[in-house]
């Protein structure tokens, strides 16, 4: 059976670039690692019917999302020879230009880290119960739709 | 049975609430019918029903003990 | 023709995690970006004939490597809809656990950023004239071979 | 012509130097033959010849003006 416990992936507000730097630095002692792959989601200033997005307000069914993420993590660890995986997703209003998703995989060899990161991003985008409300410049909003 | 249902995303806008209650629903198909009748705008949204935090893709019997949630299309990340 | 000039990708010594954090933070103002993909190479404590690697000493044919990297950059920008790409490679003795390669691509949408990053890593590994000398714990060494 | 050749990686160990000079080489095939004769250990290494910072994969004429380098298998990143 798995050694991984269900973790809470959610953080309130944007993910600081310095937090990402610190996360990377923590892996210095894990000298079996040869490659890290990181994906960051950044809130984009899309134009929706002539109005610019100024922020995305994220909500989630947190307990279910954490359970789903746990299953993704187990499946990805089963498939790839990973050393570790860290996932963080923002909740609340995240302004354009801010980071709202941080996916971080590490492995002895680059291929496992890269493929695992890409697959994790796809899986979490399609299966985590998280919703983004795009707040437009005139304070109206629209529910985001993932492509 | 009477079902207490948690709503998320745009469904909360339609209902004007995070929780709705529907009566006389024995299974998830009946639940969807009752919900779509109560809130016709929801019929146009491809929501998933989750029972006890797991997505349900075939008609499933309900009981008082289960946790029911309606999940509109996800847009995380 | 291309707008990109030939850049120097080389830095002396390891790439600090805080430098990576700062690079990410600089993209906050580029609000057309929706996704960043990052690959980091970390020096691994391999065991070679019973001896542990303690560092890799990197040398390069720098001018040629920068020209080759320029060509890779042009080809990858041609193929993917990228907003930006940043590449840094260490020179000199890099201890195990330290970062020696930083590949950073950004795009409006995740797929371009992820695919461009993965392809750039493969291309630079196979075409840049860079050599790693694995320094073992007894101060003997062995020239590294990429897989 | 006399060719001045830059060496990299493990080739510098074999030659004990970063630069070697070989005489009477008109093209890259002749250059490789002369180098491998001078340093038999190099014959076992799949090096690439670069002329003016570009890898050369077919036999290429040399002249005094070109920059010649021998590149053993890469191991960056």
């Amino acid at each position: 059976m798995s050694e991984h416990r269900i973790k809470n992936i959610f953080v309130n507000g944007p993910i600081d670039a310095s937090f990402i730097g610190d996360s990377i630095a923590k892996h210095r002692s894990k000298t079996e690692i040869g490659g890290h792959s990181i994906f960051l989601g950044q809130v984009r200033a899309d134009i929706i019917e002539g109005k610019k997005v100024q922020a995305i307000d994220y909500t989630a069914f947190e307990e279910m999302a954490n359970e789903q993420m746990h299953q993704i993590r187990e499946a990805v660890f089963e498939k790839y020879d990973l050393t570790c995986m860290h996932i963080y997703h923002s909740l609340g209003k995240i302004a354009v230009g801010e980071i709202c998703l941080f996916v971080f995989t590490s492995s002895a060899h680059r291929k496992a880290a890269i493929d695992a990161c890409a697959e994790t991003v796809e899986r979490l985008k399609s299966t985590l119960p998280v919703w983004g409300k795009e707040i437009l410049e005139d304070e109206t909003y629209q529910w985001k739709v993932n492509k | 049975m009477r079902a207490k249902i948690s709503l998320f995303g745009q469904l909360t806008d339609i209902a004007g609430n995070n929780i709705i209650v529907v009566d006389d629903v024995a299974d998830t198909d009946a639940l969807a019918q009752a919900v779509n009748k109560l809130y016709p705008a929801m019929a146009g949204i491809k929501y998933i029903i989750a029972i006890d935090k797991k997505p349900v893709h075939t008609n499933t019997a309900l009981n008082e003990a289960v946790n029911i949630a309606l999940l509109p299309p996800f847009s995380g990340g």
Side-chain angles (χ1 to χ4, degrees), chain A, chain B:
Chain A
M1 284 302 292
S2 153
E3 302 155 42
H4 303 112
R5 278 167 303 124
I6 294 180
K7 290 176 187 167
N8 176 29
I9 65 167
F10 293 105
V11 293
N12 284 308
I15 296 162
D16 280 351
S18 63
F19 174 80
I20 298 163
D22 291 347
S23 297
I24 294 165
K26 280 183 189 160
H27 290 74
R28 203 188 224 180
S29 58
K30 297 197 176 184
T31 58
E32 72 274 31
I33 292 173
H36 304 286
S37 186
I38 293 172
F39 178 79
L40 303 173
Q42 180 167 306
V43 176
R44 192 176 56 232
D46 268 349
I47 306 292
I48 294 170
E49 291 172 14
K51 297 175 210 164
K52 205 187 242 182
V53 170
Q54 60 169 2
I56 298 182
D57 191 355
Y58 283 106
T59 51
F61 185 0
E62 295 181 50
E63 284 191 338
M64 179 172 166
N66 284 324
E67 284 189 13
Q68 294 274 324
M69 190 60 233
H70 179 72
Q71 288 177 24
I72 295 171
R73 187 188 305 266
E74 295 297 297
V76 171
F77 263 89
E78 185 73 25
K79 185 166 171 185
Y80 300 99
D81 192 15
L82 289 188
T83 310
C84 46
M85 175 192 285
H86 307 280
I87 313 282
Y88 300 92
H89 197 297
S90 291
L91 290 180
K93 203 166 161 179
I94 313 302
V96 294
E98 302 282 2
I99 306 291
C100 57
L101 173 64
F102 174 23
V103 176
F104 185 6
T105 56
S106 308
S107 176
H109 299 283
R110 68 184 181 279
K111 195 166 162 44
I114 290 171
D115 292 350
C117 185
E119 182 166 336
T120 300
V121 170
E122 292 311 311
R123 291 175 80 140
L124 74 81
K125 285 241 179 198
S126 65
T127 64
L128 294 197
V130 177
W131 298 274
K133 193 160 86 168
E134 292 171 314
I135 315 288
L136 307 178
E137 53 195 343
D138 61 356
E139 298 294 335
T140 60
Y141 66 84
Q142 173 175 301
W143 290 96
K144 191 169 172 261
V145 179
N146 272 2
K147 281 171 196 161
Chain B
M1 60 160 269
R2 158 172 286 205
K4 191 176 143 196
I5 305 165
S6 300
L7 301 179
F8 291 91
Q10 57 185 305
L11 302 182
T12 63
D13 281 358
I14 295 171
N17 210 326
N18 293 323
I19 291 176
I20 56 173
V21 174
V22 293
D23 282 309
D24 296 324
V25 286
D27 53 37
T28 52
D29 280 0
L31 179 121
Q33 275 176 27
V35 165
N36 294 349
K37 195 174 169 190
L38 208 55
Y39 302 101
M42 290 196 193
I45 294 167
K46 285 186 184 162
Y47 60 78
I48 292 171
I49 301 174
I51 305 294
D52 288 338
K53 296 177 266 171
K54 288 186 177 51
V56 157
H57 298 292
T58 55
N59 191 24
T60 302
L62 298 172
N63 65 61
E64 304 282 348
V66 299
N67 173 308
I68 305 169
L70 301 190
L71 315 176
F74 308 146
S75 52

